[in-house]
Amino acid sequence: MPRFAVGLLALFRRISLLVWRLRGKTPEDVAAQRVVSGQSWNEFCDALKAAGAALSFPGAPRDPFSQAEGYRYLSRLARAGLMAFVEHADPNAPVLHRVANETTKLGADNPDNFYQTASLDGNYDYKLTGRRNTIAYLSLGTQAGNYGQGGGLPPTGYIESDQIEMDEDGCFELVLSARPQEGNWLPMTPETGALVVRQTFLDRDTEVPADLAIERINCPEDEGRASHLTPTALDEGFKNAAALAAGAPLLFAKWARDFQKHSNELPQFDPEVSLAAGGDPNIAYYHSHWALAEDEALVIEVTPPECEHWNFQLNNYWMESLDYRHFTIHTNKHLARYEDDGSVRLIVAHEDPGHPNWIETAGHTFGTMCFRWVRAEEHPQPRMRVVKLSSLQN
């Protein structure tokens, strides 16, 4: 349904544009008229209003608390869309910025990650300059499309820090291009539209994320400067921002509804679906729904395989990570306490059960959850069981 609706809207736009061309108007003429008439702004506002449909998607909770979080979620996505597609949308002068962060969340955003993104054009060449610092894991990927456009986020290139040649201080240069390059090279295709950077902490309190900057290269001097705002750019920016605000919530509302079929279990998520939605190709994801009464706890047991990283987190129903700034809503390979046999036991509960791996529900009685293995040799199935909280406190 979400993809159909967005696809129908895209079809309507193409037909409208064709009509204008038959009348002798260029796309620039159409955009200028849309901006001057207020149609561009009005459609953006209408799309934000329509985005509220995700909060009444089949299976979605209708209680006041969940609905309040849902509307806050929509406001956050509107802010993120304007930041990405209006303020930082110029591929001539890309800016690495944080769309997903501590207060803007979507798609089970990882509490261990420091996300960055930048607008690209696959027909251009770019140079990314960086210093690794002490971050545990660093990956960079190029993608086509954006949330809500109906075509997913297919990857067009990928590289990790251990594939990048660096000097003794951890400094490096990386070329992004559709044409193969000598040295450090991140591939693109002509369809590439975005750079996504994932920096993963083992411990946010002690590690320093990489310092990164990006610029366009190999271009005439008059083309390598920031573009002036045009009606076309603004009109397109509003359309893409609206697509994010309206499309992403519907996508993840559908996921959350489907997760309820295996509530309080953690089956492995379809890798192809994950990749199409922008997931890291080196990560095995386990997504599900959870629900606990006040006197219950969810016990999760697993023996981690050899892997670069793993973590577990709680999200609300809308697949926003819970507030990890103020509550312990996740743990990972570095932070978790292990059993003598190398296994780990995680306890999800409303109250502290006196266990070192307590995951707080932060005022929620249900939501979604995610387990990740990063570059794991195996993908063991976490064992799940719901018990009375009192049985853990004796």
Side-chain angles (χ1 to χ4, degrees):
M1 181 63 181
R3 180 168 296 185
F4 173 77
V6 174
L8 192 62
L9 180 59
L11 177 61
F12 174 76
R13 289 172 178 166
R14 289 196 295 270
I15 293 174
S16 298
L17 188 57
L18 177 60
V19 171
W20 280 106
R21 284 176 174 169
L22 292 175
R23 295 176 179 176
K25 302 289 187 179
T26 67
E28 289 74 19
D29 294 332
V30 175
Q33 181 168 348
R34 285 171 51 81
V35 170
V36 171
S37 69
Q39 183 179 0
S40 182
W41 174 255
N42 291 337
E43 287 184 4
F44 172 71
C45 295
D46 289 342
L48 293 186
K49 184 176 181 179
L55 303 192
S56 57
F57 194 82
R62 302 302 301 273
D63 61 280
F65 177 64
S66 296
Q67 288 287 301
E69 285 200 318
Y71 283 112
R72 181 184 63 180
Y73 169 47
L74 297 183
S75 74
R76 289 170 164 178
L77 291 180
R79 180 176 72 226
L82 292 172
M83 181 69 70
F85 302 121
V86 176
E87 297 299 341
H88 299 308
D90 183 6
N92 269 329
V95 176
L96 277 165
H97 59 284
R98 300 183 67 199
V99 172
N101 52 47
E102 291 79 5
T103 58
T104 303
K105 303 157 178 277
L106 75 164
D109 56 289
N110 188 343
D112 287 327
N113 272 7
F114 185 92
Y115 295 99
Q116 293 173 291
T117 188
S119 178
L120 304 177
D121 185 323
N123 297 295
Y124 300 161
D125 294 342
Y126 300 91
K127 180 174 70 174
L128 185 141
T129 304
R131 179 175 180 143
R132 171 71 183 273
N133 294 326
T134 59
I135 194 73
Y137 175 79
L138 170 65
S139 70
L140 305 99
T142 56
Q143 297 176 334
N146 62 72
Y147 282 116
Q149 287 186 331
L153 293 167
T156 58
Y158 186 81
I159 194 169
E160 294 185 333
S161 53
D162 60 1
Q163 300 170 298
I164 300 174
E165 294 184 9
M166 304 181 186
D167 67 18
E168 59 184 12
D169 295 321
C171 297
F172 64 93
E173 291 185 351
L174 176 70
V175 175
L176 291 70
S177 175
R179 296 175 293 107
Q181 303 287 325
E182 295 292 331
N184 295 325
W185 172 50
L186 176 56
M188 299 195 299
T189 68
E191 294 74 32
T192 295
L195 168 68
V196 175
V197 181
R198 288 181 177 88
Q199 303 194 51
T200 303
F201 296 95
L202 292 180
D203 186 346
R204 277 182 177 266
D205 293 336
T206 61
E207 295 171 32
V208 179
D211 294 317
L212 304 173
I214 188 170
E215 61 180 324
R216 185 182 169 192
I217 58 173
N218 301 332
C219 57
E221 184 176 347
D222 59 340
E223 291 186 16
R225 304 172 63 187
S227 304
H228 297 297
L229 179 67
T230 65
T232 300
L234 183 67
D235 186 51
E236 188 67 21
F238 280 161
K239 290 176 182 177
N240 288 333
L244 174 67
L250 282 172
L251 171 66
F252 296 124
K254 180 182 182 303
W255 285 15
R257 179 199 64 186
D258 294 344
F259 294 162
Q260 294 180 67
K261 299 174 184 176
H262 41 72
S263 186
N264 293 331
E265 300 175 6
L266 266 175
Q268 186 170 355
F269 194 59
D270 186 335
E272 292 186 5
V273 175
S274 171
L275 198 61
D280 189 321
N282 288 314
I283 298 179
Y285 295 90
Y286 296 68
H287 286 292
S288 194
H289 177 269
W290 65 273
L292 293 172
E294 291 298 327
D295 63 345
E296 292 180 331
L298 178 62
V299 179
I300 306 169
E301 296 172 307
V302 68
T303 299
E306 287 295 323
C307 61
E308 183 159 333
H309 189 60
W310 66 262
N311 75 357
F312 171 80
Q313 69 184 74
L314 289 187
N315 315 307
N316 63 15
Y317 183 86
W318 314 111
M319 295 190 69
E320 296 181 292
S321 66
L322 299 187
D323 187 358
Y324 53 83
R325 298 170 302 168
H326 302 115
F327 302 95
T328 305
I329 60 88
H330 94 296
T331 192
N332 64 32
K333 178 180 179 180
H334 174 75
L335 300 174
R337 183 82 60 86
Y338 290 76
E339 303 293 324
D340 292 340
D341 62 359
S343 65
V344 292
R345 174 181 292 181
L346 313 179
I347 309 294
V348 178
H350 305 300
E351 299 178 13
D352 186 356
H355 193 280
N357 294 333
W358 174 38
I359 307 298
E360 300 183 53
T361 56
H364 296 71
T365 57
F366 60 85
T368 58
M369 56 184 169
C370 177
F371 207 117
R372 296 174 179 84
W373 304 119
V374 181
R375 297 182 71 177
E377 296 183 356
E378 300 175 286
H379 303 142
Q381 177 64 51
R383 300 178 298 277
M384 319 284 288
R385 55 192 173 97
V386 175
V387 303
K388 292 297 183 181
L389 180 62
S390 58
S391 70
L392 303 173
Q393 296 174 323
N394 294 334

